Amino acid sequence: MIAVLEPGCPMHQKAEVVRLIENEGLRAQVSELEHETLVGVIGQAGESLAARLEALPGVREVRLSAPPYPLTARAYHPADSRIRVAGVTFGGPEIVVAAGPCAVEDEEQLLSTARCVAAAGARLLRGGAFKPRSSPYSFQGLGEEGLRLLAAAREETGLAVVTEVLAPEDVELVARYADLLQVGARNMQNFRLLSAVGAQPRPVLLKRGLMATLDELLLAAEYVAAAGNPRVILCERGIRTFEPATRGTLDLSAVPVLKELTHLPVIVDPSHAAGRREWVPALARAALAAGADGLIVEVHPEPGRAVSDGRQSLTFAGFEAMMAELRRVAGALDRTLPGPAQAAPGGGA
Amino acid sequence: MIAVLEPGCPMHQKAEVVRLIENEGLRAQVSELEHETLVGVIGQAGESLAARLEALPGVREVRLSAPPYPLTARAYHPADSRIRVAGVTFGGPEIVVAAGPCAVEDEEQLLSTARCVAAAGARLLRGGAFKPRSSPYSFQGLGEEGLRLLAAAREETGLAVVTEVLAPEDVELVARYADLLQVGARNMQNFRLLSAVGAQPRPVLLKRGLMATLDELLLAAEYVAAAGNPRVILCERGIRTFEPATRGTLDLSAVPVLKELTHLPVIVDPSHAAGRREWVPALARAALAAGADGLIVEVHPEPGRAVSDGRQSLTFAGFEAMMAELRRVAGALDRTLPGPAQAAPGGGA
Amino acid sequence: MIAVLEPGCPMHQKAEVVRLIENEGLRAQVSELEHETLVGVIGQAGESLAARLEALPGVREVRLSAPPYPLTARAYHPADSRIRVAGVTFGGPEIVVAAGPCAVEDEEQLLSTARCVAAAGARLLRGGAFKPRSSPYSFQGLGEEGLRLLAAAREETGLAVVTEVLAPEDVELVARYADLLQVGARNMQNFRLLSAVGAQPRPVLLKRGLMATLDELLLAAEYVAAAGNPRVILCERGIRTFEPATRGTLDLSAVPVLKELTHLPVIVDPSHAAGRREWVPALARAALAAGADGLIVEVHPEPGRAVSDGRQSLTFAGFEAMMAELRRVAGALDRTLPGPAQAAPGGGA
Amino acid sequence: MIAVLEPGCPMHQKAEVVRLIENEGLRAQVSELEHETLVGVIGQAGESLAARLEALPGVREVRLSAPPYPLTARAYHPADSRIRVAGVTFGGPEIVVAAGPCAVEDEEQLLSTARCVAAAGARLLRGGAFKPRSSPYSFQGLGEEGLRLLAAAREETGLAVVTEVLAPEDVELVARYADLLQVGARNMQNFRLLSAVGAQPRPVLLKRGLMATLDELLLAAEYVAAAGNPRVILCERGIRTFEPATRGTLDLSAVPVLKELTHLPVIVDPSHAAGRREWVPALARAALAAGADGLIVEVHPEPGRAVSDGRQSLTFAGFEAMMAELRRVAGALDRTLPGPAQAAPGGGA
């Protein structure tokens, strides 16, 4: 249940609405939107509450069947949200590309990759320092040392840094180094983690779970927003189906469907879905054509020696060739993708 | 097991190979490819057969673990197959679009749609005369009357006709009217129907089953080819997954994967996958960008009144707008999509 | 739309109802049930038809939102249907077991299996003479010779025969030899085949498609019933999911759900779902406990040498051990499973 | 890679093995099993390591392709593990039933349910104090107050308590009140949480994720065991498929497959899979027949008023009737299910 307040409703009327809700033993979630104020009722409301709320001055209406993700729904925010990440804007005319290795392995691997992808037009560097691995015996990432290497690569190349955070207790540490905090597919319904990244100021890249419906993805984004951080970028990365040829089935329908349901930017990860580098460029092009605002792609200097995901990582040459193709597709869609020159503002590079 | 013969192997040696196989109580499938002749062994071969075949003159090698679809596999036919359908070529640089109503309903509906889609750049008219319907109580199509209306629309607009055939006993009838015979998703493993369309000369549009892996799709194509008709066009149309937002999940990874595995043309049906017309243009663009050779799309003069699939049918204006966008995307991919002028060679139109 | 007639409605009133429907260019499907007569309207009815039908004498009501499978729905037939197949009753207190090889290979294989399964308590012999195979190059079955061997095995053992029919043109031939006609999972939506088995008098075993919802299964059964043959037995055999350990995921929830939705008997095929013989007995026990009316199981004298499905076929000893366990489970459910003595009426029995 | 040490290998030899591994910059995971000691190598081992390990005294063999979950695999522990939870044994001849409401709502609701299920033969009380909810605006559970109510119900009825823990930071709190810590389906790959419950002494109930393969479930169990806690009970609770009739598709094949792959006890949750109480008893019976060691079931005094999952919760009468049926099935399987008398040690207990 959501109470929609009158535009310009004065503070003391808002307070009255919140007080009524809290007196019922419920919580009130106030969302100050551009054109209106919404008060979400959290908890099991009694039957008479809606009528009593509507009777209060300043309440325009009470929606019982409101979209269950008021902060995230386009219904409440018709305009596209633009989210700035260290000087790069997601959700505007520019296609934003994040690229880099699956896992940060060492300085040489990371820096060479960062230089390559920056030169080819990427705006963010990706790389895992904390890795969620199916097996406890697999490489779990370099931890803070990995974060330090990412920051050093940013220093040299000017790329912003996106990296995954695995647990609430790591949020503060990761946020110290990263420009964009990634919540991975396996954690899409780790609700504590969602609340934790919602309670800090860095923007959040939220990947769709392998098993998650689009409604569940939007509810997960709502957790982040409801905790105070509306700067969420959504990412389709392949769902689990019966088809064994690919690692996941990239659901590109998700792009237009999400664009209809939400005002948040939507990007696509073609690497994890494909599982093989040969198929990544075709899926990347298709993602742009479907309306994606950006991509996140795996690139490695020597994929055959990668600690993880080597099979799906592009080589440097492969990434450069793909970016050239993508630039043409972006143009046909009236969008831009920075060229080699524009994309390397960092240091002396 | 497949025996690969020497290039230029004389007829009497081929006959010897076939005789040896048949003497074992097995069947021999001879495929005369461009550069070599393959003899597939059909049935359960004894262990010694491979050695005895290899000992025959004219046999270059015997492949035990050959791709199980020799006529369809790119491994045997590195070059793309181009398939001509009434003057239109699938698998070449041109993006071929088939469009029209889900079901043929009446002359006015069909003709007005045919004129619209021809003017907008489509090259084929689609429309069901025999409809596979989940319920025995749903509209089953106009039958031969529908075929006659399709032929009349071709007469006027110059569009080629693609329409579905449901059963072996209808193949001869449908082939009399249609330029391209469609085998629908529900019949992808109706092996008798596959053999029947393989035993006649019209090219075949084979849609992937809702539950079919890509390997199974290629084996289904192999049924058609093994029966004598190698002119098969494959079509991805959405698979069944857990996601309820769309009618099916369009698996665009299928395009690059199929392009790697087979030399046959691959097209995409965005309408059945989306289930809602709003999402069709984005998926159509994405299909081209993924590498599809064409599209098959539902268009209806008044979608709200369609007998079936109205929710996913484009209006005339929607189709025209989509085609203009697709033309730009095709250009960025170095492919062509005929413009309004080129596409209406029929009659005086 | 379905018109429910008054009990005892005279023939001339029924004729009037049919005439009104047919005058609209629609078809009328008359179903004489135990307690009432239903007239289904097939085709797109105009808006006023319901009112005009209700105004006719003899019409009790018109249901617009009737379950879309009136002949199959329990809503119209509260009592369980019992279907007799050559002296065996499906849907009563007895658990009916069909067993035998995947494919009929030769006389010795089939006869020895028939003797074993009859002695252990099976009531039907299964075995494919026409095999639906993913590849055109796989063994396609012995055809009519296989049917003759099945009939001979029935002669000796007293087992009834169930075997698959692949195409409308084979129905008459297969029905000459078989007691129960099987429509396989890949043909569950081969609507012409459904109508063909519905137009002959043998009972039909209808297997759920690998990706068919339960509603679609019931609509497929309705095709058979609407063509005149209400004697349909449903079979759950595993659906396609992401889990690779088993060949299919046996959906035992289907048993109680179907029992609620339909009056038809429901049996389970644990062999195709499991894909490995080690897991078949556990799934067979579970199927009974879930409420299944019977089982269809693969058994082979030498599974390691089977032409197909050897990995999932039980040995003779395995089948006998499983039947002993099943007998105890059946008892705990107040159902019966014939013992060794009762089950071997063939030969001198 | 796993090094298997000689039985009775002395401590200084073990230390040498660990030292060699750690000198490579890798981690060594020592697992002291009943009959042998395993040393797992965590990280990317160089090629020569296996040979150098095998050359050490005390090393019997090095397995490169060992099952990736050595502590969990039956290959290493042929005998069934029995896990005691507050006087109840999972994995022995007794079928163990846990029952109770989805969420702890208040004292009266919980106590009345506890009394009912104890009297009917349940051995554990289930009930959520911390609830993982898709929406941030849904009831999130009573928190510690809910834990206190569970402990009070245990006091009165003698039932052991199982309840979910959502985050590493709650583990210590929940473990203070619960006898068995549940990790829910959405957290099955929350690796930090797995490690946290692995680092405390309470046994763990690990539910399979909605889209987790059985291999992934076993790797998740391995996380718990590798952190020091081998007392893990696995739970199948329905996977996500295309079928909409049920909330999840209960994969009962998982029971025999898991029993083959692992020595850990396996139980089944029929309530979340079914989504409707009418289907729960059939699935519960089927679970036992498939070989499950126990069940976890939702029961509520007034399902129509439940805060969550009311549609799938059994009434008291429904639970009692189901338990009587289950007792008979258990008997037919040579297993026991405590009767009403045995199961109600409360009061003076």
Side-chain angles (χ1 to χ4, degrees):
Chain A
M1 189 192 303
I2 286 163
V4 184
L5 305 193
E6 299 285 359
C9 161
M11 188 56 78
H12 73 272
Q13 290 185 349
K14 288 185 196 174
E16 196 60 39
V17 171
V18 170
R19 203 171 309 132
L20 173 55
I21 292 168
E22 293 183 343
N23 282 345
E24 299 285 300
L26 304 164
R27 274 177 55 209
Q29 166 69 39
V30 182
S31 308
E32 302 282 355
L33 309 180
E34 226 165 318
H35 305 300
E36 60 187 3
T37 299
L38 305 178
V39 185
V41 179
I42 306 181
Q44 296 297 110
E47 286 175 24
S48 69
L49 183 62
R52 282 181 291 147
L53 280 171
E54 274 192 330
L56 285 182
V59 174
R60 197 173 65 202
E61 60 169 320
V62 174
R63 295 186 193 148
L64 294 169
S65 66
Y69 28 80
L71 305 175
T72 305
R74 191 180 283 278
Y76 295 109
H77 316 258
D80 287 343
S81 280
R82 297 191 176 192
I83 296 180
R84 278 188 78 76
V85 178
V88 187
T89 301
F90 283 84
E94 183 185 329
I95 300 291
V96 180
V97 177
C102 175
V104 179
E105 295 170 16
D106 59 52
E107 189 176 359
E108 171 53 25
Q109 172 238 25
L110 190 67
L111 259 184
S112 63
T113 307
R115 285 184 206 117
C116 158
V117 304
R123 301 295 296 263
L124 290 91
L125 176 64
R126 62 148 292 153
F130 295 94
K131 299 298 303 170
R133 301 303 299 273
S134 298
S135 164
Y137 308 126
S138 298
F139 175 58
Q140 309 275 322
L142 294 181
E144 187 166 3
E145 172 61 14
L147 297 175
R148 268 193 292 267
L149 292 174
L150 286 164
R154 170 176 51 203
E155 201 62 30
E156 183 181 323
T157 60
L159 293 169
V161 164
V162 53
T163 196
E164 181 162 358
V165 56
L166 289 184
E169 65 265 28
D170 295 347
V171 168
E172 192 272 333
L173 173 68
V174 177
R176 224 181 305 144
Y177 293 93
D179 301 291
L180 177 62
L181 299 187
Q182 177 179 320
V183 174
R186 282 168 188 75
N187 276 321
M188 194 204 84
Q189 291 195 318
N190 181 338
F191 301 115
R192 288 292 178 85
L193 179 59
L194 296 174
S195 296
V197 297
Q200 58 78 49
R202 295 270 186 216
V204 174
L205 177 63
L206 178 62
K207 293 187 118 180
R208 181 184 185 185
L210 281 76
M211 70 190 109
T213 64
L214 296 176
D215 265 351
E216 289 169 341
L217 173 60
L218 291 170
L219 285 166
E222 189 78 10
Y223 261 95
V224 182
N229 185 355
R231 299 166 70 210
V232 182
I233 298 160
L234 305 173
C235 182
E236 160 64 29
R237 47 79 73 215
I239 56 173
R240 209 161 246 192
T241 72
F242 64 86
E243 172 59 55
T246 42
R247 190 168 169 190
T249 295
L250 192 66
D251 178 12
L252 286 179
S253 316
V255 179
V257 176
L258 287 173
K259 284 284 174 186
E260 179 179 309
L261 294 176
T262 182
H263 52 91
L264 298 174
V266 178
I267 72 168
V268 169
D269 172 351
S271 305
H272 282 86
R276 286 212 5 226
R277 82 181 63 88
E278 291 85 337
W279 304 327
V280 169
L283 293 178
R285 291 191 310 261
L288 294 207
D293 295 306
L295 297 167
I296 181 164
V297 182
E298 290 189 345
V299 178
H300 195 280
E302 291 181 274
R305 298 197 170 197
V307 163
S308 56
D309 287 354
R311 195 67 194 79
Q312 73 204 28
S313 295
L314 294 172
T315 61
F316 290 176
F319 182 71
E320 288 155 10
M322 181 182 82
M323 288 295 278
E325 291 173 359
L326 292 179
R327 214 163 277 120
R328 293 186 64 196
V329 174
L333 301 162
D334 292 329
R335 301 192 76 159
T336 59
L337 183 60
Q342 299 154 256
Chain B
M1 188 190 304
I2 286 163
V4 185
L5 305 193
E6 299 285 358
C9 162
M11 189 57 79
H12 73 272
Q13 289 185 350
K14 288 184 196 174
E16 196 59 40
V17 171
V18 169
R19 204 171 309 132
L20 173 56
I21 293 168
E22 292 183 343
N23 282 346
E24 299 285 301
L26 304 164
R27 275 177 54 210
Q29 166 68 42
V30 182
S31 309
E32 301 283 355
L33 308 181
E34 227 164 320
H35 305 299
E36 59 188 4
T37 299
L38 305 178
V39 186
V41 178
I42 306 181
Q44 296 297 112
E47 285 175 24
S48 69
L49 183 61
R52 283 181 290 146
L53 280 171
E54 274 192 329
L56 284 182
V59 174
R60 197 173 65 201
E61 60 169 319
V62 175
R63 294 186 194 149
L64 293 169
S65 65
Y69 28 81
L71 304 176
T72 305
R74 190 180 283 278
Y76 295 109
H77 317 256
D80 287 342
S81 281
R82 297 192 177 192
I83 297 180
R84 279 187 76 77
V85 178
V88 187
T89 301
F90 284 83
E94 183 187 326
I95 301 291
V96 179
V97 176
C102 175
V104 178
E105 296 170 16
D106 59 52
E107 189 177 358
E108 171 53 25
Q109 172 238 24
L110 190 67
L111 258 185
S112 63
T113 307
R115 283 185 206 117
C116 158
V117 304
R123 301 296 296 263
L124 290 92
L125 176 64
R126 61 148 291 152
F130 296 94
K131 299 297 304 171
R133 301 302 299 271
S134 299
S135 164
Y137 308 127
S138 297
F139 175 59
Q140 310 275 321
L142 293 181
E144 187 167 2
E145 171 60 13
L147 297 174
R148 269 192 291 265
L149 292 175
L150 286 164
R154 169 176 52 204
E155 201 61 30
E156 184 182 323
T157 60
L159 294 169
V161 164
V162 53
T163 195
E164 182 163 358
V165 56
L166 288 184
E169 65 264 28
D170 295 347
V171 169
E172 192 273 333
L173 173 69
V174 177
R176 224 180 306 143
Y177 293 93
D179 300 293
L180 177 61
L181 299 186
Q182 178 179 319
V183 174
R186 282 168 189 74
N187 276 321
M188 194 204 84
Q189 292 196 318
N190 181 338
F191 302 116
R192 289 291 177 85
L193 178 60
L194 296 174
S195 296
V197 297
Q200 58 79 51
R202 294 268 185 218
V204 174
L205 177 63
L206 178 62
K207 293 187 118 178
R208 180 184 185 185
L210 281 75
M211 72 189 107
T213 64
L214 296 175
D215 265 351
E216 288 169 342
L217 172 60
L218 292 171
L219 285 166
E222 189 78 9
Y223 261 94
V224 182
N229 185 354
R231 298 166 69 211
V232 182
I233 298 160
L234 305 174
C235 181
E236 160 64 28
R237 47 79 73 216
I239 57 174
R240 209 162 246 192
T241 71
F242 64 86
E243 173 59 56
T246 42
R247 192 169 167 187
T249 295
L250 191 67
D251 178 13
L252 285 180
S253 316
V255 179
V257 176
L258 287 172
K259 285 284 174 187
E260 180 178 309
L261 295 175
T262 182
H263 53 90
L264 297 174
V266 178
I267 72 169
V268 169
D269 172 351
S271 305
H272 281 86
R276 288 215 1 227
R277 84 180 62 89
E278 292 86 338
W279 304 327
V280 169
L283 293 178
R285 291 191 309 260
L288 293 206
D293 295 306
L295 297 167
I296 180 163
V297 181
E298 290 189 344
V299 178
H300 195 280
E302 291 181 273
R305 298 197 171 196
V307 163
S308 57
D309 287 353
R311 195 67 194 79
Q312 73 203 29
S313 296
L314 293 172
T315 60
F316 290 177
F319 182 71
E320 288 154 10
M322 181 183 82
M323 289 293 279
E325 291 173 0
L326 292 178
R327 214 163 277 121
R328 293 186 64 196
V329 174
L333 300 162
D334 291 329
R335 302 193 75 159
T336 59
L337 181 61
Q342 301 154 253
Chain C
M1 190 191 304
I2 287 164
V4 185
L5 305 192
E6 299 284 358
C9 162
M11 188 57 78
H12 72 272
Q13 290 185 349
K14 287 184 196 174
E16 195 60 38
V17 171
V18 170
R19 204 171 309 134
L20 173 56
I21 292 167
E22 292 183 343
N23 282 346
E24 300 284 301
L26 304 164
R27 275 176 54 210
Q29 167 67 40
V30 182
S31 309
E32 302 281 355
L33 309 181
E34 227 165 319
H35 305 300
E36 60 187 3
T37 299
L38 304 178
V39 186
V41 179
I42 305 181
Q44 297 295 112
E47 284 175 26
S48 70
L49 183 62
R52 282 181 290 146
L53 280 171
E54 274 193 331
L56 286 183
V59 174
R60 198 173 64 202
E61 59 168 321
V62 174
R63 294 185 194 150
L64 293 169
S65 66
Y69 29 81
L71 304 176
T72 305
R74 190 180 282 281
Y76 296 108
H77 318 257
D80 287 344
S81 281
R82 297 191 177 192
I83 296 179
R84 279 187 76 76
V85 178
V88 187
T89 300
F90 284 83
E94 183 187 328
I95 301 291
V96 179
V97 176
C102 175
V104 178
E105 296 169 15
D106 60 51
E107 189 177 0
E108 172 52 25
Q109 171 237 26
L110 189 67
L111 259 184
S112 64
T113 307
R115 284 185 205 115
C116 158
V117 303
R123 301 294 296 265
L124 289 92
L125 176 64
R126 63 148 290 152
F130 295 95
K131 299 298 303 170
R133 301 302 298 274
S134 298
S135 165
Y137 308 126
S138 298
F139 175 59
Q140 309 275 322
L142 294 180
E144 187 166 2
E145 171 60 14
L147 297 175
R148 270 192 290 268
L149 292 174
L150 286 164
R154 170 176 52 204
E155 202 61 31
E156 184 182 321
T157 61
L159 293 169
V161 163
V162 53
T163 196
E164 181 163 357
V165 57
L166 289 184
E169 65 264 28
D170 295 346
V171 169
E172 192 273 332
L173 172 69
V174 177
R176 226 182 302 144
Y177 292 93
D179 301 292
L180 177 62
L181 299 186
Q182 178 179 318
V183 173
R186 281 168 189 74
N187 276 321
M188 194 204 84
Q189 292 196 318
N190 181 337
F191 302 115
R192 289 291 177 86
L193 178 59
L194 296 174
S195 295
V197 297
Q200 59 78 50
R202 295 270 186 217
V204 173
L205 177 64
L206 177 63
K207 294 187 118 179
R208 181 184 184 184
L210 281 74
M211 227 156 196
T213 64
L214 296 175
D215 265 351
E216 289 169 342
L217 173 60
L218 291 171
L219 285 166
E222 190 78 9
Y223 261 95
V224 182
N229 185 354
R231 298 166 71 211
V232 182
I233 299 161
L234 304 173
C235 182
E236 160 64 29
R237 47 79 73 215
I239 58 173
R240 208 161 247 190
T241 72
F242 63 87
E243 172 59 57
T246 43
R247 192 169 167 188
T249 294
L250 192 67
D251 178 12
L252 286 179
S253 316
V255 178
V257 176
L258 287 172
K259 285 284 175 187
E260 180 178 309
L261 294 176
T262 181
H263 53 91
L264 298 174
V266 179
I267 73 169
V268 169
D269 172 351
S271 304
H272 281 87
R276 287 213 3 225
R277 83 181 61 88
E278 292 85 339
W279 304 327
V280 169
L283 293 178
R285 291 191 310 260
L288 293 206
D293 295 306
L295 297 167
I296 181 163
V297 181
E298 291 188 344
V299 178
H300 195 281
E302 290 182 273
R305 297 196 171 198
V307 163
S308 57
D309 287 354
R311 194 65 195 78
Q312 72 204 29
S313 296
L314 294 172
T315 60
F316 290 176
F319 182 71
E320 287 155 10
M322 181 183 82
M323 289 294 279
E325 291 173 358
L326 292 178
R327 213 163 276 120
R328 293 186 64 197
V329 174
L333 301 161
D334 292 328
R335 302 192 74 160
T336 59
L337 182 61
Q342 299 153 253
Chain D
M1 188 192 304
I2 287 163
V4 185
L5 306 193
E6 299 285 359
C9 161
M11 187 58 77
H12 73 271
Q13 290 184 349
K14 288 183 197 176
E16 196 59 40
V17 172
V18 170
R19 203 170 309 133
L20 173 55
I21 292 168
E22 293 183 342
N23 282 345
E24 300 285 300
L26 304 165
R27 275 177 54 211
Q29 166 67 40
V30 181
S31 308
E32 301 282 356
L33 308 181
E34 228 165 319
H35 305 300
E36 60 187 4
T37 299
L38 304 178
V39 187
V41 178
I42 306 182
Q44 296 295 111
E47 285 175 25
S48 70
L49 182 63
R52 283 180 291 146
L53 280 171
E54 274 192 330
L56 285 183
V59 174
R60 198 173 65 202
E61 60 169 320
V62 175
R63 295 184 194 150
L64 293 168
S65 66
Y69 29 81
L71 304 175
T72 306
R74 190 180 283 279
Y76 295 109
H77 317 258
D80 287 342
S81 280
R82 297 191 177 192
I83 296 179
R84 279 187 76 76
V85 178
V88 188
T89 301
F90 284 83
E94 183 186 327
I95 300 291
V96 179
V97 176
C102 175
V104 178
E105 295 170 16
D106 59 52
E107 189 177 0
E108 172 53 24
Q109 173 238 25
L110 190 66
L111 259 185
S112 64
T113 307
R115 285 185 204 116
C116 158
V117 304
R123 301 296 295 265
L124 289 93
L125 176 64
R126 62 149 290 153
F130 295 95
K131 299 298 302 172
R133 301 303 297 274
S134 299
S135 164
Y137 308 126
S138 297
F139 175 59
Q140 310 274 323
L142 293 181
E144 187 166 3
E145 172 61 13
L147 297 175
R148 271 193 290 267
L149 292 175
L150 286 164
R154 169 176 53 203
E155 201 62 30
E156 183 182 322
T157 60
L159 293 169
V161 164
V162 53
T163 196
E164 182 162 358
V165 56
L166 289 184
E169 65 264 28
D170 295 346
V171 169
E172 191 273 334
L173 173 68
V174 176
R176 225 182 304 144
Y177 292 94
D179 301 293
L180 177 62
L181 299 186
Q182 177 179 319
V183 174
R186 281 168 189 74
N187 276 320
M188 194 203 85
Q189 291 196 320
N190 181 338
F191 301 116
R192 289 291 177 84
L193 179 59
L194 296 174
S195 296
V197 297
Q200 58 79 51
R202 296 269 184 217
V204 173
L205 177 63
L206 178 63
K207 294 187 117 179
R208 180 184 185 185
L210 281 75
M211 225 157 200
T213 64
L214 296 175
D215 265 351
E216 289 169 341
L217 173 60
L218 291 170
L219 285 167
E222 189 78 10
Y223 260 94
V224 182
N229 185 354
R231 299 166 70 212
V232 182
I233 299 160
L234 304 173
C235 182
E236 160 65 28
R237 47 79 72 215
I239 57 174
R240 209 161 246 192
T241 72
F242 64 86
E243 172 60 55
T246 43
R247 191 169 168 188
T249 295
L250 191 67
D251 178 12
L252 286 179
S253 317
V255 179
V257 175
L258 286 173
K259 285 285 175 186
E260 180 179 308
L261 294 176
T262 181
H263 53 91
L264 297 174
V266 179
I267 73 169
V268 170
D269 172 351
S271 304
H272 281 86
R276 289 217 357 230
R277 83 181 63 88
E278 293 85 338
W279 305 327
V280 169
L283 293 178
R285 292 192 308 262
L288 294 207
D293 295 306
L295 296 168
I296 181 163
V297 181
E298 290 189 344
V299 178
H300 195 280
E302 291 181 275
R305 297 196 171 197
V307 163
S308 57
D309 286 354
R311 195 65 196 79
Q312 74 203 29
S313 296
L314 294 172
T315 61
F316 290 177
F319 182 71
E320 288 155 9
M322 181 183 82
M323 289 294 279
E325 291 173 1
L326 292 178
R327 214 163 275 121
R328 294 186 64 196
V329 174
L333 301 162
D334 292 328
R335 301 192 76 160
T336 59
L337 181 61
Q342 299 155 253

